[in-house]
Amino acid sequence: MRAIILAGGKGQRLRPYTTVLPKPLMPIGDMPILEVVLRQLKRAGISRVTMAVGYLAELLQAFFQDGKRLGLPIDYSMEERPLGTVGPLTLIDGLGDETFVVMNGDTLTTLDYSALIAHHKASGAMATIATYVREVKIDFGVIESDTDGMITGYVEKPTFDYRVSMGIYVFEPTALRYLKKGEYRDLPDLVKTLVADGQKVSAYPFTGYWLDMGRPDDYERAIEEFESRRSEFIGPDAAP
């Protein structure tokens, strides 16, 4: 099975680090976050990876080359201008042949990709989204009132739970017919289009470890978590 890694973004929220490095090459421990992802995909049975690249693409290509070092064939699809998170799929040849995985290249997780793929196939869905329950804390007292402006409730610093996308998807090739070549589209747009058209979109609930390296404090946390839980991410036999 093939995996598409979305690695063309500028990583604005991680500046100044990403001024000189694409976010997927940000190191955690002794390897970049994307190498952790690639090792996990190989263990899950992924046989080919295509990186959708743009910003600082030459650095990604120089580091990973053809994937021989990792024992995982890697090729690259270049976007000349930003096409969003799903638009780059229209530039990649051969996606119409079989089920494929699409994901961000900066996610630290213990997700079992083979279990995700098995769930997708069993569901009969056109698309499956790996999901995670994220806790959101409100640092203010929340006021509840009626239409007359009278207070009916007061909740001090409440916490809400939301099921969010982990940035990891499995698609059937038929989903590609909802895209136009070279058109800017984001993954949420495609998912909403599929649902509106009556197509099955499955959610795969995950309760293990997941961290999106979107901000500097998340990056620092990823470094700490990787060092203390290394074997959970890349296996007990991986060399330090």
Side-chain angles (χ1 to χ4, degrees):
M1 183 177 288
R2 189 176 182 181
I4 311 303
I5 305 292
L6 304 174
K10 294 185 177 181
Q12 302 276 16
R13 293 180 296 166
L14 268 181
R15 287 191 174 186
Y17 304 119
T18 49
T19 302
V20 294
L21 275 182
K23 189 162 63 165
L25 279 185
M26 295 287 291
I28 55 171
D30 57 346
M31 65 182 70
I33 178 63
L34 182 50
E35 181 166 336
V36 176
V37 172
L38 293 172
R39 287 171 179 256
Q40 292 174 329
L41 290 173
K42 181 184 176 184
R43 290 177 62 197
I46 296 297
S47 57
R48 178 185 177 186
V49 167
T50 297
M51 293 189 192
V53 296
Y55 178 68
L56 298 178
E58 66 279 5
L59 297 182
L60 287 162
Q61 292 172 304
F63 189 88
F64 292 107
Q65 301 183 27
D66 62 0
K68 184 177 180 180
R69 177 175 62 86
L70 297 174
L72 180 63
I74 298 173
D75 55 77
Y76 302 86
S77 176
M78 173 69 73
E79 56 179 29
E80 299 299 331
R81 57 184 177 84
L83 294 176
T85 52
V86 76
L89 298 185
T90 65
L91 305 180
I92 300 173
D93 293 330
L95 281 188
D97 300 331
E98 62 175 346
T99 306
F100 58 92
V101 175
V102 178
M103 64 177 296
N104 298 327
D106 57 358
T107 299
L108 185 62
T109 181
T110 56
L111 174 71
D112 181 343
Y113 293 95
S114 59
L116 167 65
I117 294 166
H119 169 90
H120 168 78
K121 291 184 174 180
S123 72
M126 185 177 287
T128 295
I129 306 173
T131 65
Y132 194 83
V133 175
R134 193 68 179 258
E135 185 180 84
V136 178
K137 296 180 179 179
I138 306 299
D139 293 330
F140 304 94
V142 175
I143 300 297
E144 299 171 348
S145 60
D146 60 22
T147 56
D148 295 323
M150 297 295 106
I151 292 177
T152 59
Y154 190 118
V155 184
E156 179 65 16
K157 298 181 179 179
T159 298
F160 300 95
D161 291 334
Y162 294 97
R163 184 164 296 280
V164 302
S165 167
M166 294 172 61
I168 304 169
Y169 305 77
V170 186
F171 286 106
E172 291 303 308
T174 48
L176 296 172
R177 69 172 183 250
Y178 292 88
L179 301 175
K180 295 180 180 179
K181 187 170 184 177
E183 181 182 48
Y184 186 103
R185 291 288 296 280
D186 283 324
L187 278 158
D189 300 324
L190 175 58
V191 170
K192 288 186 285 187
T193 298
L194 295 179
V195 171
D197 196 43
Q199 301 297 338
K200 293 178 64 177
V201 179
S202 172
Y204 178 74
F206 177 63
T207 58
Y209 182 89
W210 172 68
L211 178 65
D212 174 24
M213 281 181 22
R215 300 168 299 183
D217 55 340
D218 295 324
Y219 175 53
E220 296 298 330
R221 181 180 169 191
I223 294 173
E224 295 174 4
E225 295 283 359
F226 181 75
E227 290 298 333
S228 63
R229 305 170 64 173
R230 182 187 181 95
S231 64
E232 294 181 53
F233 297 115
I234 56 176
D237 300 324

